[in-house]
Amino acid sequence: EKEKSKTKWRVMEYCYESNSLMSEWFLRKGHNATCMGLPDWDLRTESAARAVVRSAQQALEAGEHILLWAALPCTPWSSWQYVNANISPQSAAKIEKARQESIQMLRLFLWVLRTVLRIGGQRVVAAFEWPRGAIGWQLDVCKELIEMLPITCRFDGCRYGLVSEQGYIKKPWRVQTSRIELEEPLSQ
């Protein structure tokens, strides 16, 4: 127990804004956080993916453990996009472009994930978050991601205090992770 408390963690949030609640929590607990998203990190590019790996490698070399937590934009994979695609040919083309961009981001994340897990081993915990109903979960690239992150956690945002001005928000999430230790706390 004492050894665990000495472990220094760095949460690396892939595709997040700088005001992330998860990063704030890690910082309050005396750990470190890196939020990677626009405008500083364009995760649609190979150069940004390489920069993520370099950042992870530096954290590992400094003796930190890493929680690599990703949540790529999910809008292209909402079931509502079936309706939106039928509005006009322009809408359909815009959705298709967003989906292709998302697939590219997923492929780059898979490369980052493989690389960081290889160099960090057991000092790396990885997770990927999307809404439970996102149709993108059926993509081949997501099936590959699920093979790498085989533990499935399902929960609703209201369970963790997600609220709006009107009250609690159900928001059904799904998280794929590399560690069984996350299954129980996230599957409530």
Side-chain angles (χ1 to χ4, degrees):
E1 186 70 40
K2 198 172 195 181
E3 185 63 34
K4 285 184 180 182
S5 66
K6 291 183 179 183
T7 301
K8 187 72 166 185
W9 283 90
R10 173 173 300 275
V11 61
M12 297 185 73
E13 293 190 88
Y14 198 91
C15 266
Y16 279 81
E17 298 177 4
S18 59
N19 62 349
S20 157
L21 294 175
M22 186 182 305
S23 286
E24 288 176 14
W25 185 89
F26 270 78
L27 292 169
R28 276 196 317 272
K29 298 293 183 181
H31 300 287
N32 294 314
T34 303
C35 292
M36 300 166 287
L38 292 172
D40 299 327
W41 299 76
D42 185 350
L43 297 168
R44 297 171 295 185
T45 67
E46 290 180 18
S47 61
R50 285 191 301 272
V52 171
V53 170
R54 280 193 304 275
S55 181
Q57 192 162 13
Q58 289 169 350
L60 290 164
E61 288 170 358
E64 295 177 325
H65 288 234
I66 292 175
L67 171 57
L68 177 61
W69 190 284
L72 301 181
C74 58
T75 303
W77 306 111
S78 163
S79 58
W80 273 104
Q81 297 303 358
Y82 289 124
V83 174
N84 294 335
N86 286 305
I87 292 173
S88 70
Q90 294 83 3
S91 291
K94 184 177 177 182
I95 292 165
E96 182 57 28
K97 181 178 184 234
R99 286 181 174 174
Q100 291 307 311
E101 191 172 271
S102 178
I103 290 169
Q104 172 65 12
M105 290 175 76
L106 281 162
R107 286 185 180 130
L108 287 170
F109 175 68
L110 275 175
W111 177 80
V112 167
L113 180 61
R114 269 190 221 97
T115 306
V116 173
L117 286 171
R118 182 179 47 77
I119 63 176
Q122 291 298 307
R123 294 188 334 170
V124 176
V125 176
F128 182 84
E129 158 197 337
W130 254 359
R132 255 194 315 251
I135 57 178
W137 286 113
Q138 301 307 312
L139 296 168
D140 287 341
V141 68
C142 274
K143 290 176 183 174
E144 188 176 343
L145 177 110
I146 292 165
E147 287 178 22
M148 294 179 69
L149 304 174
I151 309 301
T152 302
C153 309
R154 292 176 180 87
F155 59 94
D156 295 330
C158 57
R159 171 68 177 88
Y160 295 94
L162 187 63
V163 295
S164 71
E165 291 177 7
Q166 290 79 34
Y168 286 100
I169 300 173
K170 183 175 181 182
K171 193 157 186 179
W173 271 309
R174 175 178 172 179
V175 173
Q176 291 296 135
T177 183
S178 60
R179 288 303 239 313
I180 192 77
E181 296 90 346
L182 291 179
E183 185 177 27
E184 185 181 340
L186 286 180
S187 294
Q188 298 185 22

